[in-house]
Amino acid sequence: NCGAIPRELLESELFGHVKGAFTGATTDKKGKLEVADRGTVFLDEIGELPLELQVKLLRLVQQGEIAKIGATTTATVDVRLIAATHRNLKAMIEDGTFREDLYYRLSVIPLEVPPLREREDDIGELTLYFLNKLREKHGRPTLTLPSELLPFFTRYRWPGNIRELENVVERLVVLARSNEITLSDLPEQLRRDSQRLDFLPIELP
């Protein structure tokens, strides 16, 4: 996750370093890209990658080479890159925070995942998936979600997408006062438009 690793450590994590390259570099270290030679690297939140590291990543994509911190030579690496981001990379190109040449090098097979609000048919299934996963995690195997509450999930627009859905379900699992989730257990944002919903019965598996 390019956004989860501190900026000053990210280069070493990705590209590695040689002994003595900086204070604390007591041994040579292989970066994630070298470790994954002849394999696949998934770079999540590629939009958070600093510009100076975008240059180094571009060199890998174009020439199959990486330069470790402090090294005087390059290493050859053969990896397949998969990158993801929630940010608008084309807008970042326009404001100079993402390299256009790297964008087009990475964009060989682009896949755009629609926001959750555009995948209403998926919401019910995802809600039940997270419910099963999280009630096991929190030791509540008998907790149930009545079918008449599912429309509250499918009609909500989920601005936080799947992470928000998972967080809401986890909140319900943790805070539900009985073994059946009730309307009063639902967060306010899901109940806000309840008077306008025309409920249809939904069969749960």
Side-chain angles (χ1 to χ4, degrees), residues 18-59:
V18 298
K19 181 179 179 180
F22 50 83
T23 303
T26 56
T27 60
D28 290 353
K29 175 185 176 179
K30 287 185 176 183
K32 297 287 193 294
L33 295 168
E34 187 175 8
V35 170
D37 188 27
R38 303 188 66 79
T40 301
V41 174
F42 174 49
L43 297 174
D44 198 10
E45 297 300 349
I46 189 72
E48 306 300 327
L49 195 67
L51 277 169
E52 61 269 23
L53 296 189
Q54 293 178 31
V55 176
K56 298 191 71 169
L57 187 62
L58 180 64
R59 181 177 189 171

Side-chain angles (χ1 to χ4, degrees), residues 154-198:
T154 57
R155 305 289 180 89
Y156 180 60
R157 291 183 62 78
W158 300 106
N161 285 298
I162 197 164
R163 290 184 179 92
E164 183 184 9
L165 174 59
E166 183 174 11
N167 288 341
V168 165
V169 175
E170 184 158 25
R171 170 181 168 177
L172 292 171
V173 171
V174 172
L175 298 180
R177 288 161 286 190
S178 69
N179 284 332
E180 182 176 272
I181 296 170
T182 66
L183 178 60
S184 62
D185 291 323
L186 299 185
E188 173 61 26
Q189 67 266 31
L190 267 68
R191 291 187 282 116
R192 189 176 298 133
D193 298 327
S194 62
Q195 299 304 315
R196 299 204 301 269
L197 291 178
D198 179 20

Side-chain angles (χ1 to χ4, degrees), residues 10 18 24 51 62-64 68 79 97 104-105 107-108 112 117 123 128 135 148 153 156 161 167 176 189 193 204:
L10 186 56
V18 298
L51 277 169
Q62 291 186 153
Q63 301 172 315
K68 295 184 180 182
V79 295
T97 54
Y104 285 111
R105 284 289 186 175
S107 188
V108 177
E112 183 174 348
R117 63 180 175 271
I123 294 174
L128 297 176
R135 64 186 179 184
E148 60 266 23
F153 291 83
Y156 180 60
N161 285 298
N167 288 341
Q189 67 266 31
D193 298 327
L204 293 181

